[in-house]
Amino acid sequence: MKKILLSISLLLSAVIYNQVKAQNFNAGSFPDRIILTWSGDPKTTQSVTWRTDSTVSVGYGQILLESSSPKLEKPDAKEYQAVTSTLKGIEYQSANYHSITFSDLQPDRLYTYRVGDGKNWSEWFQFKTAPATDKPFSFIYLGDAQNDIRSKWPRVIRKAFATHGDARFIVHAGDLINRSNNDNEWGEWHFGGGFINGMIPSIPSSGNHEYFRDEHRTLTLDPHWRAQYTLPENGPAQLKESVYYIDYSNVRVISLNSQMIVLDSTSLKLQAKWLEEVLKNNPKKWTMITYHHPIYSTAKGRDNKEFRELFKPLFDKYHVDLLLQGHDHTYSRGQNLPFGTSGKVGGPMYVVSVAGPKMYKVDVNPKWMDVFAEDTQLFQIISVNGDDLNYTAYKASGEVFDQFKLKKTSKNKAAEFTDLRKNK
């Protein structure tokens, strides 16, 4: 009996130890936190970043066109060597981050790849390059994850993937975590996304919770950001990889750094000047901008007046179609038009959404909101097909909550809006 009790005790101790170790999200020799992003043209390149412990000083990626054959290794696969950097923190272990940009890819083709050190390899993942021509596609948009990330957020991103697994990318509108430079919370975020991050590229925007003030009280972006995301460097030099744009098919997606906009007057003007040039020289039919702080808030006591006064005229002038926002932990959408007129007059569509469990109350006084919800976790699927854009917001249950359509009749005017809700 004692032997049985001892065996049970040892088994329980092992389970508890493994659970504690899992909660710490420590790096090992095998690749983890594998995530796709873009730093170049989505038609012909694909960036991938992953993490190992600091004993792994080199990284490689192998890639080839998917043929359904199990013969995936060299010489059939082309091999790339990664750029490796070390991330050290006071409160977490040192780890190495490895990044590769696969290049010279063929548009609109399915590829398979893996990453590792030559001995310890990840599984083989798949991704598809962007089309060279205007083709229908869809993407996922998620508001703040932020709190209870490992416990309550994963079911939302996973339901989004189950709803539309062929999504071409995922937009994250800031506050992916709650405490900046907290490696465990980043571990929870990567745990929630899991293999999805390795198959569908992410387009993340930084929020206020990705920032902290250093010993000199300087506003500083979490060093995890540039370590784990390989993003375009086409933004202002001072804001590399937190302000950028990506062209996919007939859409230009622009990411702004609204934390620096609302807290730094120099950055406010710098980003506005940069944005106008990007909008002015935009060859794409559709324009979407993602950032964290809404220029029209749904929560009481929040008003980003300077942000709104400088940027809204640009949104209007250049006929931006969608503003994908977070921060207010509610759902709302509207066109900043007098209540009830948004089906008759065109204008940018402002959306605020939340994917995580932290919730605020909606301030019902603002008249710009045509639809709103509180205490509801959501995800959005946005589909683009030529002149038509269809937007659907789903509850975490998969139930459709909000739907509308935009139709582009001219690049020099706002898209026409149609409300598709069944119960208006």
Side-chain angles (χ1 to χ4, degrees), residues 164-275:
H164 199 85
D166 199 36
R168 299 273 51 93
F169 53 86
I170 304 174
V171 170
H172 296 274
D175 280 6
L176 288 66
I177 57 163
N178 188 46
R179 291 172 295 175
S180 180
N181 208 18
N182 185 298
D183 193 71
N184 268 8
E185 290 192 12
W186 283 117
E188 292 186 6
W189 188 85
H190 284 277
F191 171 88
F195 70 84
I196 300 169
N197 289 343
M199 293 178 64
I200 303 178
S202 291
I203 299 180
S205 289
S206 56
N208 52 302
H209 284 268
E210 276 79 50
Y211 271 84
F212 66 95
R213 292 197 181 269
D214 65 15
E215 63 272 18
H216 304 295
R217 302 300 298 161
T218 301
L219 200 59
T220 304
L221 180 62
D222 188 334
H224 285 81
W225 191 268
R226 294 196 70 184
Q228 69 189 2
Y229 300 135
T230 304
L231 296 167
E233 296 188 0
N234 52 20
Q238 304 91 321
L239 297 163
K240 280 186 178 179
E241 295 187 271
S242 71
V243 178
Y244 59 91
Y245 70 88
I246 291 170
D247 289 339
Y248 190 99
S249 188
N250 58 351
V251 174
R252 173 160 288 184
V253 182
I254 302 167
S255 175
L256 297 176
N257 186 329
S258 63
Q259 176 71 346
M260 294 301 291
I261 287 173
V262 299
L263 292 183
D264 186 301
S265 59
T266 301
S267 184
L268 170 84
K269 296 171 186 175
L270 179 69
Q271 290 191 57
K273 182 179 179 182
W274 174 85
L275 177 63

Side-chain angles (χ1 to χ4, degrees), residues 106-153:
Q106 299 176 39
D108 205 21
R109 298 295 298 273
L110 186 67
Y111 283 85
T112 184
Y113 78 96
R114 68 175 180 173
V115 296
D117 62 4
K119 178 182 177 182
N120 301 309
W121 291 101
S122 71
E123 67 269 46
W124 289 89
F125 290 88
Q126 293 177 330
F127 68 83
K128 194 172 187 179
T129 50
T133 57
D134 184 349
K135 278 192 170 184
F137 73 94
S138 301
F139 68 92
I140 297 166
Y141 152 50
L142 299 174
D144 308 32
Q146 191 172 340
N147 296 88
D148 290 325
I149 307 169
R150 186 182 189 278
S151 172
K152 297 180 179 179
W153 177 69

Side-chain angles (χ1 to χ4, degrees), residues 316-327:
D316 292 339
K317 179 179 179 180
Y318 294 100
H319 308 297
V320 174
D321 300 294
L322 272 178
L323 291 312
L324 305 176
Q325 309 162 113
H327 191 55

